């Protein structure tokens, strides 16, 4: 992560900078979810339709939840 570039909304939303183990699979997973969240955030900001804004917001929340479960699955040591 380039320290000079500000993180995108999606990168912040998934906590891209938090990966204490330095696990590449976790980093890649978070990047993929961050990209999806950024797409939904761009849609949310570009529309005047309140229902589209609501759906994009729900999609962002659900993507954050899915990302957290995906990281848990990737790092599970049972």
């Amino acid at each position: 992560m380039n320290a000079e570039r500000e993180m995108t909304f999606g990168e912040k939303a998934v906590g891209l900078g938090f990966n204490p183990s330095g696990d590449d699979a976790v980093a890649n997973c978070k990047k993929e979810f961050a990209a999806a969240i950024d797409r939904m955030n761009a849609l949310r900001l570009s529309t005047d339709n309140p229902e589209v804004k609501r759906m994009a917001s729900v999609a962002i929340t659900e993507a954050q939840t899915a990302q957290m479960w995906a990281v848990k699955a990737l790092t599970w040591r049972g």
Side-chain angles (χ1 to χ4, degrees):
M1 184 88 245
N2 185 344
E4 295 182 25
R5 179 180 70 79
E6 184 174 344
M7 283 197 273
T8 68
F9 177 84
E11 291 168 342
K12 290 176 188 176
V14 300
L16 187 61
F18 183 74
N19 185 358
S21 65
D23 188 321
D24 287 339
V26 169
N28 290 332
C29 179
K30 286 186 172 194
K31 287 176 189 175
E32 291 165 359
F33 277 100
I37 290 170
D38 282 331
R39 283 192 296 278
M40 289 297 99
N41 189 50
L43 174 61
R44 181 172 63 177
L45 295 173
S46 70
T47 186
D48 292 328
N49 185 310
E51 186 62 10
V52 173
K53 286 182 182 291
R54 185 192 73 79
M55 289 186 284
S57 293
V58 170
I60 288 167
T61 300
E62 296 293 337
Q64 286 176 293
T65 301
Q67 174 267 311
M68 287 186 279
W69 281 108
V71 167
K72 187 172 185 80
L74 289 168
T75 59
W76 184 261
R77 300 293 178 246

